[in-house]
Each structure stands twice: as structure tokens, then as C-alpha cells.
Amino acid sequence: MQIDMSMAELGSYKGTNPKPFDFAEYWDKGIKELNELSLTYEVERFDYPSMMAECFHVYFIGVGGARVHCQLVRPKQQSDKGPGLLWFHGYHGNSGDWIDKVAYAAEGFTVLAMDCRGQGGLSEDNLQVKGSTLKGHIIRGLEDDDPEKLYYRHVFLDTVQAARILMSMDGVDPERIGTYGASQGGALSIVCSALEPRIKKTVAIYPFLSDYRRAWEMEITHSAYEEIHYFFKLRDPNHRREKEFWNKLGYIDIQHLADRIQAEVMWVTAMEDQICPPSTQFASFNKIVSPKDMVVFYEYGHDYLPTLGDKVYPFFAELLNRK
């Protein structure tokens, strides 16, 4: 079943949602704000019965003063500095089960899994904005006069702060860091590697938060992008502010960050994905200029993709520098 463009069309598609004229300055200012924050963090041991890994809760203060939570899973026995892996979760979710990261820790990775602000985990969301918080996080801050109040600006910067904290940890080589995630997590994996140039490997599985206008034009009213439909329906039914809103969403559209990535990228898409349609993903993928590969699952949607885990691990295993 084809729900989107053909593969030939996808290969040349460059996106629809506009890019704000001051996009570079917007994110340069965000990174400057981040540079002024401390990399200090709190650590609480979590008693987990693993012979190979030890587990901790980690908390740091992000931009705007919010307390952000992460899971930290690291090898029990480690004599030298090893690679690190940043782990990002799907929309509304959380950092997940500890056991998911233990296998990587057993192989020598230190894993830091971040909870997004105000979603299903332990991170706070203290953002105050004007306008509607109708439904979902894409539109949070969209009606505020200040585009720096967009919810995802803060989350995007949290990923960079988490990366810097991981890079600063004992036992972690800052030159051997990867990022991983699916859906919203895939988007954050891309964002982190775009805003932190030291990232070496990135895996993004059917990423969210890309080419918002294209998703809306496809009449996606039953997916993660549905909040855009309801926003217009209830807040701007005559679309008098449509141009303004698309432009503002451009600040948090991952396609406009993609050309900053220096990491090697494994991108995974599913051709029957009705949650994050392939064209929204290719809008970003086609802008990546670093080494990249697209892994396509043809008869699958936004769900479990068999054999994928066994493709992802060898990609990251190169960070182990094992002969």
C-alpha cells in the first residue's frame, strides 16, 4: 500500500514548510543561552539486579530553570573510557525500561536516556506561554509573540545539554558519542546531532517533527500531527494567521537543522507510515550532507520493524573501536 509519494519523488523532495529568515540566529542564540548553564547534575542510584550494568537517575537544570530527568545506565566493569549513547523516547512517552539499555551497557556503552519535559516521564515543564495549549506540544507557544517560547525549542536544547553532560562523565570518551530514537525520539536524535557537532553516529527511526505543512496538507487528522488540524479548526478557522504560524513552526522543523549534522546517519523509514508519512521524513533526510543511509521497510508502518535492532547495533558498535 502506498500512502505517499513514489520512491523516485521522495528522493528529490525538499520539503514544504517555510524556513524563517532568522533561523540561524535563533538557534545560535539558543546555544549561547545553553553555554551559560552549568553542566552540574544530581545522581541517584537505582537498585537494578544486573550483573553487567549499574543504573542511576540523573537530574539537571535546563533552559528556563526546568528540572530534567534522565536514566543513566553504564558498565559495571570499565577500565578505559568508552563510547556514550543518548537515547530519546517517542511522543508522550518516557525513557522506558532500564533493561532496554542494559544490553548496550554490557557491550561497553554508557547510555543516557532523557525524559522530555512535561510528557510521560519525570521531567518538569515550567514553560508559561500566551495563547492556547489546546492539545499536544507542537502548538505549545505558537500563539506567543516570542518564538523563543515554543515548547520544542526548550526540548531541543535539553538534548544538547544532555549530550554535554554525557560527554563530561568519567568513563565516557566525548569523541565517541551516538544518538538514538524513534518517532519523536528520532527527531530528537537528529536535532541533537545537528546542534552538537561532536556527535559521531545517529540513528533516527521514522522521525517526527518534520515538514509540518506537508503533514497538514496530507490531512493527517489521526496522528501525532493532528494537533495542527485542531489548532486551525478551533483557533484560526479562517486561516488568517496561517502564514505566520507555518513560519513560526519552521523554527522547530528538523528539516531546517538537517544540513548542520556532521555525524554519520542511519535513517529508517516505513513506506506505509500514516503517523509520520515518508515525505515528511525525506524532506529532512535529503538535506543531510554528512554520510547517510536510508533503510526502508516497505510493508510496514509506524510500528515494530523486525531485524532493525540487529542492524542498529553493528552501526553503533563501530564506536567501540574493537579490532
Side-chain angles (χ1 to χ4, degrees), residues 11 17 34 52 54 102 111 123 126 153 196 198 213 226 234 263:
N17 202 88
L34 197 65
M52 305 300 294
E54 51 185 3
V102 167
V111 183
S123 295
N126 62 350
R153 175 185 183 270
E196 174 43 79
R198 289 177 290 174
R213 183 164 184 164
E226 67 176 359
L234 297 174

Side-chain angles (χ1 to χ4, degrees), residues 7 10-11 13 269 278-287 294:
M7 187 59 75
L10 291 171
Y13 179 63
T269 194
S279 58
T280 65
Q281 298 177 47
F282 273 85
S284 295
F285 178 79
N286 291 336
K287 294 183 174 71
M294 175 67 79

